[in-house]
Amino acid sequence: MAFDIEMIEKVYANLAERVDKARELVGRPLTLSEKILYSHLWEGTPTKAFSRGKDYVDFAPDRVACQDATAQMALLQFMHAGKNKAAVPTTVHCDHLIQAKVDAKTDLARAKSQSSEVFDFLSSVSNKYGIGFWKPGAGIIHQVVLENYAFPGGMMIGTDSHTVNAGGLGMLAIGVGGADAVDVMSGMAWELKFPKLIGVKLTGKLSGWTAPKDVILKVAGILTVKGGTGAVVEYFGEGATAMSCTGKGTICNMGAEIGATTSTFGYDDSMSRYLRSTNRADVADAADKVAKYLTGDDEVYASPEMYFDQVIEINLSELEPHLNGPFTPDLATPISKLKEEAIKHDWPLKIQYGLIGSCTNSSYEDIARAASLAKQVTDKNLKIKSKFTITPGSEVVRYTIERDGFIDTFDKIGATVFANACGPCIGMWDREGAEKEERNTIVHSFNRNFSKRADGNPNTLAFVGSPELVTALAIAGDLGFNPLTDKLINEDGEEVMLDAPFGNELPPKGFDAEDPGYQAPAADGSSVVVSVSPTSERLQLLAPFLPWNGQNITGAKLLIKAFGKCTTDHISMAGPWLRFRGHLDNISNNMLIGAVNAFNQRTNYVKNQLNDEYAEVPTVARAYKAANVPSIVVGDHNYGEGSSREHAAMEPRFLGVKAVLVKSFARIHETNLKKQGMLALTFANEADYDKIHENDAINFIDLVDFAPGKPLTLEFVHSDGSKDFILANHTYNEGQIGWFVAGSALNLIAAAGKA
């Protein structure tokens, strides 16, 4: 029986009435995305139609999920909200704090020892507030959610950008910052600008070497890392229904890499099969009864150009395997062109590592198809030329693939199986020799490949592909190898070709595990005590941010003018810094240390205008804060791309940054800045970015008149006494301005709890 089946049945009980009313109000057939949005309005039954990309709308998500790195700050904030229990079903998953180094058993034991304080904190807070807790080793949040909690037609939010993975089971699952999660856990509405809609029509059928991962790699090449911003991507067509549920999850997972609010697929037989295989026949039965409401209307898919803001069509029968990268997930190269591109760009052809797994590609089907290639290494007397690792997505998957012999197959070719955790995908990889910063190539089936992300080495060129393509390339050890056409030389000197990968969609013997790793919360958590040591280096109770004083901000200093790509990895690095995710003061020492200073093209080296000396970004920020001097950050396009980590907003707020002025924002980061009481501003004229000098002081001219739809004017005073007045746009509504005035959204929640 499924978790929270009563909640799911309630969603389905209201679905028909709400969707029918929405269809009447909108006056046309509805997409699946619209059906889910309109059936999850905070007000209940819809009373008006909303404008895409314009209207801010209050929603009532069904559930919340948090991973351990972000859960620390989210739960520290929730403790301020004054609630006795989470208002909606909520779970915490311990997957980020397990470093990959030796093997699963060794690495998990080390993580439990090193992070025991954090795991104990998360366990006790979960126990106290009625939150389901998944212990270290249970698996990666998104795989565990897909296996246990995702359901067709539902809406959930999660404190990780790849929450969108649950779209593989027909949800609208959206990545958010911890403050958004606190809103929903506190029983409040969750606000989102009504998204635009991108339709992706999939014709034909996948076969041979082409995998679901290649669909999103192709889409990323079309839309780029910001082409999906403010939109939901909805997949449909014969190619979609012919695909496995977990394959759909892979596609939705990497929708985060195009900036999409989320991605989803309509309910079909593959989802029903997956639900039943994961012991949720009750959910499948309930979904079957309302199936026509769990996919887009027939008219929509027949004439998608009439109903979507943009339509992309991909013929899966013609789609080639792709490898995307390096340094960005949208640089898409079909396998037939890869060798040519590698030589042209001087990418190192020798592959040092092949890594498969992660939340994106760790399903039974993924591992089975990769294992079919690993078996050929033995059967055809080949020798794998690259180091090779596997990261299972959950203990259920790991136990099942071990039972079915796949781990033994990998063992025979010398592969390493890491713990059921994020590991190398998020930089939690203690890679031997990475500190030498040698230029090298790795291939992986993860979702992101930004500089330094996997191993901390800025000179590692990481390429993203399907598990089967990554496995084949690792076997060959050559980035120029095309498994569709090229031969390998085996240990007997014979030419052999790899057969196309194959694998079952679901385990023929079913899924199994001795201990999935779930801990249910106490029925009554009122007596549970949550303690945080005042001398802890890992955890720190939060103090509320100060409210706005009602005056114009004047005399602010430019902290950094960031040049080029500035993701949340650049703003608040992961890897070794993950250990401080529950300690705002300590983790603030990584603030913007990866951002490139536009004035000297160096990282973590900015000018302190108080003494005219250069120092690390956090050091200079702390100097300004100590002197009670406000500061601002200036950035480029798609600022805050990547992870949902709200630390990238909380750290600047904590260190005295008052505003972030950029050419454009990634959606989640802009919201996170607003939630923490900061000013998230964009240039009215992008060319004004070039007017900002290193020694500038900044004055806000009309912040006292801060209002929706009214741009703000900033005066930049240069060292020679000259000035530039720059107009800055914003997207704040009245409620969001209230967050700024109060000092943060959390301050308003806490105040309401005390009222």
Side-chain angles (χ1 to χ4, degrees):
M1 181 172 170
F3 286 97
D4 310 310
I5 186 63
E6 297 86 359
M7 176 269 287
I8 295 170
E9 289 174 340
K10 182 178 179 181
V11 171
Y12 289 165
N14 293 323
L15 189 61
E17 177 189 356
R18 294 181 179 184
V19 170
D20 289 344
K21 184 62 178 179
R23 193 183 289 111
E24 175 188 324
L25 291 167
V26 174
R28 56 167 173 75
L30 298 178
T31 66
L32 167 65
S33 304
E34 290 171 313
K35 290 180 181 181
I36 300 176
L37 290 166
Y38 277 106
S39 65
H40 283 84
L41 297 176
W42 180 252
E43 64 179 339
T45 303
T47 58
K48 61 172 287 190
F50 297 103
S51 298
R52 299 177 190 172
K54 294 181 180 179
D55 292 337
Y56 280 98
V57 182
D58 286 339
F59 292 100
D62 301 311
R63 65 178 314 111
V64 175
C66 309
Q67 39 94 335
D68 50 355
T70 53
Q72 295 171 65
M73 199 58 69
L75 294 179
L76 285 166
Q77 293 178 84
F78 182 68
M79 289 167 66
H80 274 279
K83 306 296 181 180
N84 295 323
K85 187 176 182 180
V88 301
T90 302
T91 53
V92 168
H93 306 257
C94 296
D95 60 0
H96 274 55
L97 299 178
I98 303 168
Q99 186 181 51
K101 182 176 183 178
V102 181
D103 56 39
K105 183 178 180 180
T106 305
D107 296 344
L108 181 58
R110 185 176 67 254
K112 287 181 176 179
S113 173
Q114 292 178 344
S115 296
S116 59
E117 179 185 17
V118 173
F119 294 146
D120 289 346
F121 166 75
L122 295 174
S123 174
S124 62
V125 175
S126 298
N127 206 24
K128 182 174 183 66
Y129 294 108
I131 297 168
F133 180 72
W134 290 82
K135 296 178 285 189
I140 306 173
I141 176 174
H142 313 303
Q143 180 69 25
V144 174
V145 165
L146 198 70
E147 291 172 356
N148 294 277
Y149 300 111
F151 67 97
M155 174 185 276
M156 69 173 286
I157 61 171
T159 60
D160 188 286
S161 55
H162 294 105
T163 298
V164 294
N165 189 80
L169 255 175
M171 292 194 89
L172 284 191
I174 301 170
V176 299
D180 278 355
V182 171
D183 281 356
V184 177
M185 292 165 64
S186 299
M188 300 176 66
W190 175 65
E191 182 186 70
L192 177 73
K193 184 178 285 187
F194 204 85
K196 295 182 179 181
L197 300 178
I198 298 173
V200 180
K201 182 178 182 179
L202 302 179
T203 62
K205 187 176 181 180
L206 294 172
S207 63
W209 284 91
T210 309
K213 183 68 160 277
D214 297 307
V215 176
I216 185 58
L217 295 178
K218 175 74 172 179
V219 170
I222 295 170
L223 289 177
T224 78
V225 292
K226 60 181 180 180
T229 302
V232 172
V233 182
E234 185 172 323
Y235 293 84
F236 60 94
E238 61 181 355
T241 54
M243 197 181 296
S244 68
C245 174
T246 52
K248 294 177 172 72
T250 292
I251 293 170
C252 293
N253 181 293
M254 265 196 75
E257 273 50 76
I258 57 173
T261 300
T262 191
S263 304
T264 195
F265 286 77
Y267 181 62
D268 61 20
D269 288 344
S270 73
M271 296 184 191
S272 177
R273 291 194 299 271
Y274 186 75
L275 287 167
R276 296 177 193 282
S277 182
T278 51
N279 298 315
R280 290 176 287 171
D282 45 356
V283 178
D285 290 341
D288 287 344
K289 295 175 183 177
V290 291
K292 69 177 183 179
Y293 290 96
L294 299 177
T295 189
D297 288 335
D298 291 341
E299 300 93 329
V300 170
Y301 295 156
S303 304
E305 294 81 3
M306 295 176 59
Y307 302 97
F308 292 97
D309 298 289
Q310 180 180 355
V311 177
I312 297 168
E313 184 169 338
I314 299 174
N315 185 341
L316 301 186
S317 299
E318 299 174 355
L319 181 65
E320 272 192 73
H322 277 62
L323 202 69
N324 285 24
F327 303 128
T328 184
D330 61 349
L331 181 57
T333 305
I335 190 64
S336 63
K337 302 290 185 183
L338 187 59
K339 185 174 183 178
E340 174 187 335
E341 289 297 304
I343 293 172
K344 181 169 72 174
H345 296 288
D346 192 30
W347 297 335
L349 292 177
K350 180 176 173 55
I351 297 171
Q352 302 292 336
Y353 266 93
L355 307 99
I356 66 169
S358 83
C359 67
T360 320
N361 277 114
S362 57
S363 69
Y364 184 87
E365 181 182 35
D366 290 330
I367 304 300
R369 285 172 64 85
S372 76
L373 295 170
K375 187 174 185 298
Q376 294 180 53
V377 174
T378 303
D379 293 348
K380 298 186 178 186
N381 199 23
L382 290 162
K383 183 177 181 180
I384 189 166
K385 299 295 178 61
S386 306
K387 294 180 180 178
F388 189 64
T389 73
I390 302 97
T391 305
S394 70
E395 176 57 16
V396 168
V397 166
R398 189 213 63 79
Y399 186 93
T400 303
I401 64 173
E402 181 178 44
R403 180 202 66 194
D404 291 354
F406 297 150
I407 289 183
D408 181 60
T409 298
F410 291 126
D411 284 342
K412 287 178 180 176
I413 66 168
T416 300
V417 179
F418 286 141
N420 313 320
C422 300
C425 182
I426 60 161
M428 287 295 280
W429 180 23
D430 188 357
R431 180 185 175 187
E432 184 178 355
E435 72 282 355
K436 298 176 184 177
E437 297 193 351
E438 294 173 342
R439 194 163 185 261
N440 75 105
T441 291
I442 66 173
V443 292
H444 61 58
S445 68
F446 308 157
N447 40 47
R448 291 188 178 139
N449 57 348
F450 304 139
S451 175
K452 296 186 178 183
R453 182 171 175 91
D455 62 5
N457 178 2
N459 298 313
T460 292
L461 283 70
F463 294 84
V464 182
S466 68
E468 42 269 66
L469 184 60
V470 168
T471 305
L473 290 170
I475 291 169
D478 181 0
L479 192 63
F481 175 69
N482 181 353
L484 284 74
T485 58
D486 298 347
K487 295 179 179 179
L488 297 169
I489 306 297
N490 70 8
E491 293 299 281
D492 296 323
E494 301 168 334
E495 287 188 338
V496 298
M497 284 192 72
L498 293 173
D499 300 324
F502 65 91
N504 289 310
E505 171 188 317
L506 297 164
K509 300 177 184 177
F511 287 105
D512 199 3
E514 290 180 352
D515 177 12
Y518 177 69
Q519 173 187 294
D524 179 4
S526 59
S527 62
V528 176
V529 177
V530 179
S531 61
V532 174
S533 169
T535 60
S536 172
E537 293 184 348
R538 301 288 300 270
L539 297 165
Q540 179 187 49
L541 293 176
L542 295 174
F545 292 129
L546 294 176
W548 178 45
N549 63 10
Q551 301 175 7
N552 283 322
I553 297 169
T554 58
K557 301 296 185 185
L558 177 68
L559 177 61
I560 185 172
K561 179 179 174 180
F563 174 82
K565 187 183 282 286
C566 192
T567 72
T568 49
D569 278 336
H570 295 88
I571 305 167
S572 176
M573 287 185 177
W577 289 96
L578 285 175
R579 67 186 185 275
F580 296 129
R581 283 287 180 87
H583 198 294
L584 183 55
D585 195 358
N586 284 345
I587 199 171
S588 292
N589 288 322
N590 80 356
M591 185 191 74
L592 285 159
I593 64 176
V596 176
N597 182 353
F599 299 110
N600 56 25
Q601 296 299 303
R602 295 179 63 176
T603 59
N604 205 22
Y605 197 67
V606 298
K607 190 171 187 179
N608 181 344
Q609 294 188 49
L610 300 180
N611 59 17
D612 288 336
E613 296 179 357
Y614 285 83
E616 296 85 356
V617 181
T619 300
V620 175
R622 289 183 186 276
Y624 290 154
K625 181 180 179 181
N628 202 28
V629 173
S631 60
I632 79 162
V633 168
V634 171
D636 215 316
H637 278 296
N638 208 29
Y639 184 88
E641 169 193 347
S643 166
S644 69
R645 67 191 67 155
E646 66 181 343
H647 297 78
M650 295 186 77
E651 292 172 32
R653 180 72 168 99
F654 178 72
L655 293 185
V657 176
K658 301 298 183 184
V660 179
L661 173 63
V662 300
K663 293 179 182 178
S664 64
F665 282 106
R667 174 191 63 85
I668 299 176
H669 188 63
E670 181 182 22
T671 301
N672 285 346
L673 290 168
K674 291 179 178 181
K675 286 277 185 176
Q676 299 304 331
M678 293 185 67
L679 294 169
L681 310 173
T682 56
F683 290 100
N685 180 1
E686 290 182 6
D688 286 344
Y689 172 91
D690 297 323
K691 295 179 179 178
I692 296 172
H693 300 174
E694 188 173 31
N695 295 310
D696 282 351
I698 304 101
N699 301 311
F700 282 75
I701 303 302
D702 51 7
L703 184 58
V704 292
D705 300 320
F706 193 18
K710 183 179 183 295
L712 294 173
T713 304
L714 283 69
E715 177 189 50
F716 284 77
V717 182
H718 309 309
S719 56
D720 63 0
S722 63
K723 301 176 181 179
D724 274 304
F725 290 89
I726 291 178
L727 200 64
N729 293 330
H730 66 83
T731 60
Y732 287 76
N733 58 29
E734 288 286 1
Q736 294 168 349
I737 290 175
W739 301 341
F740 171 74
V741 172
S744 72
L746 181 60
N747 286 354
L748 288 180
I749 295 175
K754 295 174 182 176

